[in-house]
């Protein structure tokens, strides 16, 4: 579910210290019924275990296929346009005690881990269009439960980056995030099978 940007910006997340030049683009919530205050690592593990592009909707798969094809044709994802060559990693702004909490080796997908704490984590990517951060946080709900929150922070690369973000906005809200919501919430419901643990 889409949330106001203030649901991210008013919380005392560590990521705020290192992204004053980024804009919070999107904030989204994911239901995790039955989760407790210490279940953030289990949610992340279930999502990782359930990450499978084949589980995404046809529309979402099509959009990602088009995006990667365009990126290849236009050089958006050229390694020279990414972290290091074009953009300095946010890890350079962070203290060692924070960066030591996550392995910086890129995993499956385009994001590179920045840090992982008991109630929040952040990952970054950079290409020719943007320098972006996906922040995940663990939030207590009014009913006493807990839910996952995702915030997308971006620093567009000039006019092209701003235009790119504007063009993809409808697709994020109508297709990508709803599909992600179904997949991530299903991973939490199916955590016993995915993680081989008790619910």
């Amino acid at each position: 579910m889409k949330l106001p940007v203030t649901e991210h910006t008013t919380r005392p997340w560590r990521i705020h210290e290192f992204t004053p030049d980024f804009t919070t683009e999107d904030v989204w919530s994911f239901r995790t019924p039955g989760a407790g205050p210490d279940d953030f690592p289990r949610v992340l593990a279930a999502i990782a275990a359930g990450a499978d592009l084949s589980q995404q909707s046809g529309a979402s798969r099509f959009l990602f296929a088009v995006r990667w094809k365009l990126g290849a044709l236009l050089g958006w994802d050229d390694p020279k346009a990414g972290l290091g060559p074009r953009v300095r990693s946010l890890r350079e702004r962070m203290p060692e005690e924070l960066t030591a909490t996550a392995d910086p080796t890129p995993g499956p997908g385009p994001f590179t881990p920045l840090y992982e704490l008991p109630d929040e984590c952040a990952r970054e990517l950079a290409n020719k269009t943007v320098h972006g951060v996906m922040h995940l946080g663990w939030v207590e709900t009014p009913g006493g439960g807990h839910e996952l929150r995702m915030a997308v922070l971006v620093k567009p690369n000039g006019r092209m980056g701003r235009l790119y973000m504007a063009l993809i906005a409808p697709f994020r809200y109508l297709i990508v995030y709803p599909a992600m919501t179904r997949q991530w919430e299903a991973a939490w419901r199916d955590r016993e099978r995915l993680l081989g643990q008790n619910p």
Side-chain angles (χ1 to χ4, degrees), residues 2 13 16 18 22 24 33 36 45 53 72 82 86 95 101 103 129 135 160 163:
K2 188 177 186 298
W13 303 122
H16 299 319
F18 315 108
F22 283 65
T24 302
L53 191 62
R86 186 183 75 79
T101 63
D103 182 350
T129 60
H135 178 272
M160 180 182 69
L163 178 61

Side-chain angles (χ1 to χ4, degrees), residues 27-122:
V27 181
W28 210 262
S29 69
F30 303 87
R31 291 166 296 184
T32 52
D38 301 322
D39 277 329
F40 183 57
R42 293 187 69 213
V43 170
L44 297 182
I47 290 172
D52 183 352
L53 191 62
S54 67
Q55 295 178 12
Q56 295 182 357
S57 70
S60 186
R61 284 200 306 273
F62 174 75
L63 278 178
F64 277 108
V66 169
R67 165 59 184 85
W68 300 131
K69 187 66 173 177
L70 280 174
L73 290 172
L74 300 175
W76 289 348
D77 305 311
D78 187 303
K80 294 178 182 177
L83 293 171
R86 186 183 75 79
V87 176
R88 294 175 66 180
S89 171
L90 287 176
R91 293 177 66 86
E92 296 182 22
R93 303 182 183 184
M94 298 177 176
E96 186 178 350
E97 52 90 9
L98 195 58
T99 59
T101 63
D103 182 350
T105 305
F111 286 93
T112 299
L114 288 169
Y115 65 87
E116 186 170 322
L117 300 175
D119 64 347
E120 67 171 302
C121 71

Side-chain angles (χ1 to χ4, degrees), residues 62-197:
F62 174 75
L63 278 178
F64 277 108
V66 169
R67 165 59 184 85
W68 300 131
K69 187 66 173 177
L70 280 174
L73 290 172
L74 300 175
W76 289 348
D77 305 311
D78 187 303
K80 294 178 182 177
L83 293 171
R86 186 183 75 79
V87 176
R88 294 175 66 180
S89 171
L90 287 176
R91 293 177 66 86
E92 296 182 22
R93 303 182 183 184
M94 298 177 176
E96 186 178 350
E97 52 90 9
L98 195 58
T99 59
T101 63
D103 182 350
T105 305
F111 286 93
T112 299
L114 288 169
Y115 65 87
E116 186 170 322
L117 300 175
D119 64 347
E120 67 171 302
C121 71
R123 300 160 186 172
E124 70 177 333
L125 66 75
N127 54 42
K128 197 170 281 188
T129 60
V130 296
H131 185 186
V133 174
M134 179 175 66
H135 178 272
L136 299 174
W138 197 231
V139 174
E140 185 174 2
T141 62
H146 286 75
E147 69 179 16
L148 184 67
R149 299 275 180 88
M150 177 186 72
V152 176
L153 292 75
V154 297
K155 186 177 180 182
N157 184 19
R159 186 176 180 180
M160 180 182 69
R162 291 190 294 272
L163 178 61
Y164 172 80
M165 291 303 298
L167 288 174
I168 68 171
F171 299 103
R172 294 198 313 270
Y173 300 138
L174 296 175
I175 298 174
V176 176
Y177 292 156
M180 184 183 294
T181 298
R182 290 190 294 273
Q183 186 175 359
W184 286 12
E185 291 182 355
W188 173 250
R189 291 192 303 271
D190 201 21
R191 62 193 179 279
E192 182 179 7
R193 180 184 65 83
L194 291 171
L195 302 178
Q197 300 171 355

